[in-house]
Amino acid sequence: MILFQRITFKVKILLIGIAMVQTAFALQIEAPEEIAGAVLMYSKEAGAENRNMILKVSTIKSENCDAFFIKLISPNNGKTVKEVENCITELPNADLQNGIFKVFGHPVKTESQGSGGIKTALIGTAFIATGLLLYYSKPPEPVYKISEVSK
């Protein structure tokens, strides 16, 4: 407080102006109440909370699928900068997050891009090969031996 009192009037106005500009350029979110919190969280995760943009999110129902319709709008001229439509699958939160990341230009890894099935198959094949090598390198001995006397 004492430091602020010692600063000249012009510098005070400049500091207050910078603080107002920082708060004025914030991302505005227009979304249904059910998903507004998730939209805010995912946009912060994408690093877009300080952008001077309007993010409009809505859910639409079409013949193909239910989807999230996401628009990024410039507040200066009202034109749409980018829009994305993401179908809702079994994981709606992941679909919403991927849509928001697409709008802000972040790379999104989808299931078709992943190689989880190939990795699993390779690991399984390695386990089978290791088991066969161990089995045939030294065959297992029986737990007990039947003696000739008992026959």
Side-chain angles (χ1 to χ4, degrees):
M1 184 70 181
I2 295 173
L3 179 64
F4 191 72
Q5 291 172 349
R6 291 188 176 195
I7 297 175
T8 63
F9 182 73
K10 291 179 183 178
V11 175
K12 286 180 188 177
I13 296 297
L14 180 66
L15 290 174
I16 292 172
I18 290 172
M20 290 175 63
V21 167
Q22 287 292 333
T23 58
F25 294 127
L27 183 68
Q28 300 172 18
I29 297 174
E30 296 177 11
E33 289 181 21
E34 308 86 49
I35 60 173
V39 171
L40 177 64
M41 180 178 61
Y42 296 142
S43 60
K44 282 184 178 180
E45 191 176 328
E49 67 269 4
N50 290 331
R51 289 190 180 186
N52 188 20
M53 296 284 195
I54 300 170
L55 182 65
K56 190 172 189 177
V57 180
S58 59
T59 55
I60 58 172
K61 295 184 180 191
S62 63
E63 294 177 7
N64 299 335
C65 65
D66 295 340
F68 290 114
F69 189 69
I70 305 168
K71 271 186 177 180
L72 190 62
I73 303 169
S74 172
N76 299 332
N77 54 12
K79 291 185 179 180
T80 301
V81 176
K82 195 169 188 182
E83 61 186 19
V84 172
E85 185 176 333
N86 251 14
C87 284
I88 300 173
T89 60
E90 295 89 25
L91 303 169
N93 287 338
D95 298 329
L96 179 62
Q97 182 181 20
N98 289 341
I100 291 173
F101 278 19
K102 283 180 191 176
V103 164
F104 289 116
H106 293 285
V108 176
K109 184 176 183 181
T110 59
E111 290 179 15
S112 62
Q113 292 176 347
S115 61
I118 295 171
K119 288 179 185 176
T120 305
L122 289 174
I123 291 172
T125 306
F127 276 122
I128 291 171
T130 304
L132 289 173
L133 285 173
L134 288 173
Y135 182 78
Y136 286 113
S137 65
K138 183 178 179 186
E141 297 178 6
V143 177
Y144 60 89
K145 294 183 180 182
I146 300 174
S147 65
E148 305 257 340
V149 177
S150 63
K151 289 185 179 181

